[in-house]
């Protein structure tokens, strides 16, 4: 028992030290979305008139702690995104939500290109299983230059993971 | 998505002559004035779901062409009243350009770095999409829509959320204290 008490005391002291010394990110338990994904993005857009489209996409994801890098490939090209993991309190290693932003997003509505921000729900199977889903909504606006009309969109994302191979995507957007 | 948008632009091309005139001219819906209504939000904060909002808020809008400056005034909940500011763009509905349209708004400080604590961009990121309907030359108008935000915290205080906006115009006069239609650098 004394040995156990000593160990418990040691763990407690290390825990207290850790809270101060180690970066918060290192202690933060979260799910891991790293891998290859496939799915669809359905968008309702408005540029003076309404329109709707569905696109089949491939998504490559690398996660490091809370930081998530995503590349979405569609027939029209690739888009880069950065995400921030927000794990569930009850099952942080499996479930939660995340915010996602398209690289280049800015508050410049005069000379900027626009932006996209989304809120996604995360569900992963217990590690080491591959199964995982990512569903949610993003809002976007595009400011074409030269401008005909700005375009606004609401997109529904629905993705499934097909592999846990790390595609080594940058987990943050490059400074613009 | 981009290809689709290009196709959409081509489809809209015959309307562009009208559209450009609307975009640059004075026939776009006049959104300026003072609006009152509510914002109801759901958030995922510290790993749990939350609901908040529902109080009556005041929104002030200054309009310059199709560019809008939007200020949302919050009451004092204990730590002082505050104002959130947004830059926004109005796109007129080509069928009813003088009364209907959509608004994309972006919270000042929004960028592509989520969870950015400290420094000048230590504010939440938010993008919204609203529909706007006004009665030309009348006060009556509605502004309704949805926004998504991410708070500037990492670790256990991370927050992502979304809000439903529903406002009605109570005064069409430009706000006495104009709201900038652009965000500060």
């Amino acid at each position: 028992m004394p040995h156990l008490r000593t160990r418990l005391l040691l763990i407690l002291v290390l825990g207290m030290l850790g809270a101060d010394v180690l970066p918060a990110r290192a202690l933060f338990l979260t799910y891991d979305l790293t891998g290859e994904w496939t799915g669809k993005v359905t968008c309702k857009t408005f540029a003076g008139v309404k329109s709707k489209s569905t696109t089949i996409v491939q998504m490559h994801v690398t996660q490091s702690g809370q930081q998530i890098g995503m590349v979405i490939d569609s027939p029209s090209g690739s888009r880069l995104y950065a995400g921030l993991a927000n794990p569930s309190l009850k099952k942080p290693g499996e479930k939660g939500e995340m915010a996602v932003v398209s690289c280049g997003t800015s508050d410049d509505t005069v000379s900027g290109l626009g932006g996209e921000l989304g809120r996604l729900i995360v569900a992963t199977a217990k590690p080491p299983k591959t199964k995982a889903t990512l569903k949610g909504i993003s809002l976007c606006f595009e400011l074409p230059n030269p401008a005909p009309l700005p375009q606004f969109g609401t997109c529904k994302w629905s993705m499934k993971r097909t592999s846990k191979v790390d595609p080594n995507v940058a987990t943050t957007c490059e400074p613009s | 998505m981009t290809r689709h948008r290009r196709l959409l632009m081509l489809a809209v091309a015959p309307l562009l002559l009208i559209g450009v005139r609307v975009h640059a001219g004075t026939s776009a819906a006049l959104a300026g004035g003072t609006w009152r209504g509510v914002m109801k939000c759901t958030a995922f904060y510290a790993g749990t779901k939350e609901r908040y909002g529902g109080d009556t808020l005041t929104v002030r809008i200054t309009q310059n062409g199709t560019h809008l400056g939007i200020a949302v005034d919050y009451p004092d909940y204990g730590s002082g009243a505050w104002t959130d500011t947004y830059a926004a763009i109005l796109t007129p509905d080509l069928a009813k350009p003088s009364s209907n349209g959509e608004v994309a708004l972006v919270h000042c400080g929004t960028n592509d770095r989520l969870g950015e604590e400290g420094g000048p961009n230590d504010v939440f990121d938010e993008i919204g999409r609203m529909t706007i309907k006004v009665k030309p030359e009348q006060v009556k108008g509605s502004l309704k829509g949805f926004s998504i935000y991410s708070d500037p915290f990492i670790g256990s205080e991370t927050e992502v959320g979304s809000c439903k906006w529903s406002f009605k115009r109570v005064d069409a006069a430009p706000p006495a204290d104009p709201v900038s239609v652009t965000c500060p650098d």
Side-chain angles (χ1 to χ4, degrees):
Chain A
M1 281 300 283
H3 180 63
L4 182 61
R5 274 193 205 125
T6 308
R7 281 180 65 186
L8 285 173
L9 189 63
L10 185 64
I11 289 169
L12 184 66
V13 169
L14 283 174
M16 289 171 74
L17 275 174
D20 282 342
V21 175
L22 295 174
R25 217 171 287 179
L27 297 171
F28 196 70
L29 177 62
T30 183
Y31 49 76
D32 187 356
L33 302 181
T34 298
E36 300 291 342
W37 298 65
T38 185
K40 63 179 181 180
V41 178
T42 301
C43 297
K44 290 181 178 177
T45 55
F46 180 81
V49 292
K50 289 182 179 176
S51 183
K52 186 178 177 182
S53 68
T54 299
T55 309
I56 303 297
V57 299
Q58 303 294 319
M59 187 168 74
H60 318 287
V61 181
T62 296
Q63 182 169 349
S64 172
Q66 269 189 281
Q67 306 292 334
I68 302 167
M70 306 161 87
V71 175
I72 295 185
D73 291 333
S74 70
S76 60
S78 296
R79 291 180 75 125
L80 308 180
Y81 294 85
L84 188 67
N86 191 346
S88 150
L89 190 63
K90 288 181 180 172
K91 293 185 175 179
E94 295 162 55
K95 294 180 184 293
E97 295 201 12
M98 66 176 288
V100 62
V101 66
S102 68
C103 292
T105 293
S106 84
D107 62 6
D108 183 350
T109 55
V110 177
S111 55
L113 295 173
E116 183 172 2
L117 187 63
R119 179 183 180 187
L120 307 177
I121 295 171
V122 174
T124 66
K126 276 187 181 176
K129 289 181 180 172
T130 300
K131 191 178 177 184
T133 60
L134 201 51
K135 292 180 180 178
I137 291 177
S138 68
L139 298 175
C140 64
F141 66 103
E142 285 190 355
L143 306 173
N145 189 10
L149 285 175
Q151 179 166 269
F152 312 148
T154 304
C155 297
K156 279 189 180 176
W157 300 39
S158 181
M159 311 280 190
K160 286 184 178 177
R161 185 161 60 185
T162 55
S163 150
K164 291 180 83 172
V165 174
D166 186 352
N168 291 312
V169 174
T171 56
T172 55
C173 295
E174 286 184 13
S176 50
Chain B
M1 280 186 291
T2 306
R3 188 183 67 161
H4 177 79
R5 283 171 186 163
R6 284 201 195 111
L7 288 173
L8 177 66
M9 290 302 169
L10 284 174
V12 171
L15 300 170
L16 286 186
L17 283 175
I18 302 168
V20 169
R21 195 153 33 114
V22 166
H23 191 51
T26 56
S27 55
L30 296 175
T34 303
W35 302 67
R36 290 238 166 78
V38 295
M39 216 182 281
K40 292 182 178 176
C41 306
T42 65
F44 199 72
Y45 171 68
T48 56
K49 287 183 181 176
E50 284 187 353
R51 286 182 186 274
Y52 67 93
D55 294 332
T56 299
L57 303 175
T58 300
V59 169
R60 293 174 286 124
I61 300 179
T62 296
Q63 183 167 3
N64 182 359
T66 54
H67 288 272
L68 309 178
I70 299 177
V72 181
D73 296 322
Y74 290 86
D76 184 355
Y77 291 111
S79 55
W82 80 95
T83 298
D84 284 335
T85 55
Y86 300 81
I89 308 150
L90 169 65
T91 294
D93 185 328
L94 292 179
K96 294 181 177 178
S98 61
S99 61
N100 293 12
E102 290 210 7
V103 173
L105 56 85
V106 57
H107 185 264
C108 289
T110 296
N111 58 26
D112 60 9
R113 298 182 294 280
L114 298 171
E116 190 178 24
E117 292 185 80
N121 292 313
D122 188 0
V123 292
F124 60 86
D125 301 308
E126 183 176 13
I127 288 177
R129 181 184 174 188
M130 313 281 150
T131 56
I132 188 166
K133 291 181 182 176
V134 295
K135 292 275 186 188
E137 298 178 21
Q138 290 182 34
V139 173
K140 194 175 181 182
S142 70
L143 180 71
K144 292 180 180 178
F146 182 70
S147 68
I148 293 175
Y149 69 87
S150 172
D151 248 13
F153 299 110
I154 56 170
S156 59
E157 288 196 78
T158 303
E159 179 177 352
V160 61
S162 47
C163 299
K164 280 187 180 175
W165 301 44
S166 181
F167 289 85
K168 289 188 174 176
R169 187 158 62 180
V170 295
D171 188 349
D177 185 13
V179 185
S180 173
V181 299
T182 58
C183 293
D185 287 334

